[in-house]
Amino acid sequence: MTDTTAATRPDETGINTRKVFIKTYGCQMNVYDSQRMGDALARDGYEPTEVIEDADLVLLNTCHIRERAAEKIYSELGRIKLLKAEKAERGVEMRVAVAGCVAQAEGQEIIDRAPVVDLVIGPQTYHRLPEALARVARGDKVVETDYAVEDKFRHLPKVTAPQIRTRGVTAFLTVQEGCDKFCTFCVVPYTRGSEVSRPLAQIMGEARALAAAGVREVTLLGQNVNAWSGQDEAGRDIGLGGLLRALAEIPGFARLRYTTSHPRDMDDDLIAAHRDLPALMPYLHLPVQSGSDRILKAMNRRHTGADYLRLLDRIRQARPDIALSGDFIVGFPGETDADFEDTMKLVSEVRYASAFSFKYSARPGTPGATMDDHVDEAVKSERLQRLQALLREHQVDFAESLVGRDIDVLVEKPGRYPHQRVGRSPFLQPVVLDAAAGEIGDIVTVRIESTLPNSLLATGGAVPAAEARHRNAVPAEPIRKIA
Ligand code: SAH
Ligand code: SF4
Ligand code: F3S
């Protein structure tokens, strides 16, 4: 290991050249938060580094959603402890901060269990990071997990054009945080607090900065993004549909997406936005968790399987080529074989283009953890395997249905070889394409030739618009209606 001490201390000119290593776990909201924390630290003189050994500050932005996610943090902290001791022997100081949802859920406990940690900071307080680090520098151990009364976004430095450019032509933009739904398995309402929407003007300001710096595709984020509500310039109440309409007017944005949505918050105007806005991509992540009404009730999802299928019907009427994605939990307390078969049945009806599925993990403090009839690990594993095999089959069928079709691809980055680039389909699949097809940031029409394990291949160059056939059209599988 090389000693980079001299390069990472404030130099004689007073210019601070400290380095921060940020590792992100969990959902896209954490990815966004890590960027914003990085931006706040940049103003404080920290440069990002990818090399943990070079870091003056190690920041873990953590996830508490399942037990395994939370436990990962402690094994990482074990490795960091050794690194910190090694650096200390060479007289180099390294600070360790834990942010995100484990920070919020466990607070002081983290320092008790892993004394290597200097700072614990929750997701609602990270605008206070520089000030908290100043306290750490004075020798304190700091825990900042109060829900702040002030709006953190207003207290964070604005993201600058060079910062945006390093992140490429796609960007995340958090518009809503927190959750009031209290599904009985889920920690999010406890780690992220209640639902808060960022005001329209603040979102539009950030969106315009993204567009001006060359961002072509923006994904709006929220734990329950379709619960976003706000007021338009005339003071009228609007929902996510209205926000998407406003964003679609910004020159430069070619593609809009949003995630994650709750079935109960898909209102008529949002469904209509899928019909009206060509920029709103035909891909929707709409988790259902289970196909059994009994389990959905125990989960406090407050909708039935039939409600969900009816909703999908309405969405598909508005946007027939929409591809669907979902989340599933197997082995929720009390789930019988028959309940699980209901999930398999729902999956077969919907035929998701992609999906995420998990074994139920009891989370401390949630109602699910104290329910009766916890399901055996072996049973959970077997159900998960069967479900994943079915989901995979549908994902492959969906990808194969695109072979021979011409689809629009946003070129995102260089490929593995110089003659290739990687882009994204409207349905969020990576597409490997010929470098000659277009420059990064272009949207080009290409003919899909074949499927790779997790992506699509198109080596034929751009198809001129006049010759494009079946552009983006995907044969929608009709959903059999459940009365
Ligand atoms: N707000 C999103 C979900 C966020 S958590 C929504 O309502 O859909 C992402 C996914 O993790 C959930 O959809 C769920 O499938 C899974 N998940 C959440 N808590 C879990 C738990 N205790 N055990 C297993 N999976 C869980
Ligand atoms: Fe968790 Fe349910 Fe809220 Fe989603 S809607 S974040 S699953 S409590
Ligand atoms: Fe995990 Fe927190 Fe996101 S628990 S999934 S990082 S909201």
Side-chain angles (χ1 to χ4, degrees), residues 142-220:
V142 178
V143 177
E144 274 274 14
T145 52
D146 288 345
Y147 286 120
V149 279
E150 72 269 21
D151 170 2
K152 73 173 172 220
F153 294 111
R154 282 191 39 209
H155 288 78
L156 284 166
K158 287 210 166 47
V159 45
T160 63
Q163 284 166 339
I164 299 168
R165 277 189 210 106
T166 60
R167 292 173 196 148
V169 294
T170 63
F172 290 138
L173 171 47
T174 292
V175 300
Q176 181 278 340
E177 282 209 275
C179 179
D180 297 338
K181 297 283 188 292
F182 290 93
C183 301
T184 52
F185 52 82
C186 185
V187 292
V188 169
Y190 311 96
T191 62
R192 294 275 178 165
S194 49
E195 283 173 7
V196 179
S197 297
R198 289 179 74 183
L200 180 76
Q202 208 186 73
I203 296 168
M204 294 302 282
E206 193 167 322
R208 287 196 188 97
L210 293 174
V215 167
R216 306 298 319 275
E217 171 179 307
V218 64
T219 303
L220 308 183

Side-chain angles (χ1 to χ4, degrees), residues 33-202:
D33 286 350
S34 289
Q35 290 174 352
R36 298 303 301 263
M37 283 191 275
D39 297 344
L41 288 167
R43 199 166 64 169
D44 224 30
Y46 282 94
E47 272 175 25
T49 175
E50 305 277 308
V51 184
I52 190 168
E53 286 81 4
D54 289 352
D56 298 84
L57 171 65
V58 172
L59 180 85
L60 305 182
N61 194 12
T62 62
C63 173
H64 201 247
I65 202 82
R66 284 167 289 274
E67 193 180 354
R68 189 121 53 102
E71 283 306 313
K72 255 192 221 159
I73 306 310
Y74 288 100
S75 36
E76 186 69 34
L77 287 171
R79 286 189 287 274
I80 291 170
K81 185 177 153 197
L82 299 177
L83 179 63
K84 182 166 172 163
E86 209 177 282
K87 291 188 82 159
E89 264 175 37
R90 288 186 278 117
V92 184
E93 197 161 25
M94 192 176 86
R95 313 271 190 211
V96 181
V98 174
C101 292
V102 178
Q104 189 63 45
E106 297 187 2
Q108 177 66 38
E109 263 176 78
I110 299 176
I111 296 180
D112 296 344
R113 196 170 150 188
V116 66
V117 174
D118 300 295
L119 167 66
V120 174
I121 189 157
Q124 304 308 339
T125 31
Y126 63 71
H127 54 297
R128 298 197 198 136
L129 188 57
E131 178 200 319
L133 283 170
R135 281 166 57 203
V136 168
R138 292 197 292 271
D140 293 348
K141 293 266 180 189
V142 178
V143 177
E144 274 274 14
T145 52
D146 288 345
Y147 286 120
V149 279
E150 72 269 21
D151 170 2
K152 73 173 172 220
F153 294 111
R154 282 191 39 209
H155 288 78
L156 284 166
K158 287 210 166 47
V159 45
T160 63
Q163 284 166 339
I164 299 168
R165 277 189 210 106
T166 60
R167 292 173 196 148
V169 294
T170 63
F172 290 138
L173 171 47
T174 292
V175 300
Q176 181 278 340
E177 282 209 275
C179 179
D180 297 338
K181 297 283 188 292
F182 290 93
C183 301
T184 52
F185 52 82
C186 185
V187 292
V188 169
Y190 311 96
T191 62
R192 294 275 178 165
S194 49
E195 283 173 7
V196 179
S197 297
R198 289 179 74 183
L200 180 76
Q202 208 186 73

Side-chain angles (χ1 to χ4, degrees), residues 272-293:
H274 279 280
R275 181 195 60 212
D276 301 339
L277 301 176
L280 184 53
M281 288 293 99
Y283 174 92
L284 178 62
H285 184 66
L286 194 63
V288 65
Q289 315 296 355
S290 167
S292 153
D293 290 347

